[in-house]
Amino acid sequence: MGISFEWTVKFGDILTVAGAFIVAVSIVYKRGVSEATNSAILTRLVDDFDEMKKEFKSFSAAMSEVATQKMQIGMLMKWYDELRHGQGFVRGHRTSVDGEYPPS
């Protein structure tokens, strides 16, 4: 007594296999489109992030320059105040020493 297998194929079976194949292909295609879209979005985000890093570097350099200028202005104002009070190389109302430079 052997096991017998029926080799007959019905038209409905062919339609079922074809339908399953079409569904599988559409799922794979949809997933591929989704991954490609996500990849493009990530690429744009990375580019935007690199641009932001460059802008922050230039902003940091500008802020450092402003801080240096502010310090220099403060030093100049201090020197100016000292010179206005006659301390330094400006001729003031001195009785014994006229300053470093000869009078003209």
Side-chain angles (χ1 to χ4, degrees):
M1 185 169 184
I3 299 176
S4 65
F5 187 75
E6 183 180 346
W7 288 97
T8 59
V9 178
K10 299 176 188 152
F11 184 68
D13 296 336
I14 293 173
L15 287 177
T16 301
V17 169
F21 181 74
I22 289 172
V23 168
V25 167
S26 66
I27 289 172
V28 170
Y29 176 76
K30 179 70 174 172
R31 185 174 179 184
V33 168
S34 175
E35 288 179 7
T37 303
N38 289 343
S39 176
I41 290 171
L42 286 176
T43 302
R44 280 187 272 145
L45 286 175
V46 167
D47 291 343
D48 289 345
F49 186 70
D50 288 340
E51 247 182 76
M52 286 174 52
K53 282 180 15 181
K54 289 177 187 176
E55 288 179 15
F56 276 125
K57 282 182 184 178
S58 65
F59 180 73
S60 174
M63 291 305 294
S64 175
E65 188 173 332
V66 167
T68 303
Q69 290 174 352
K70 186 175 181 179
M71 182 185 69
Q72 289 174 345
I73 289 171
M75 290 173 56
L76 288 173
M77 292 304 293
K78 179 183 171 192
W79 291 342
Y80 176 74
D81 288 341
E82 288 175 1
L83 291 175
R84 282 185 56 204
H85 291 103
Q87 301 168 357
F89 298 116
V90 176
R91 285 181 284 182
H93 301 288
R94 297 181 184 179
T95 57
S96 63
V97 179
D98 198 7
E100 185 177 331
Y101 300 104
S104 33

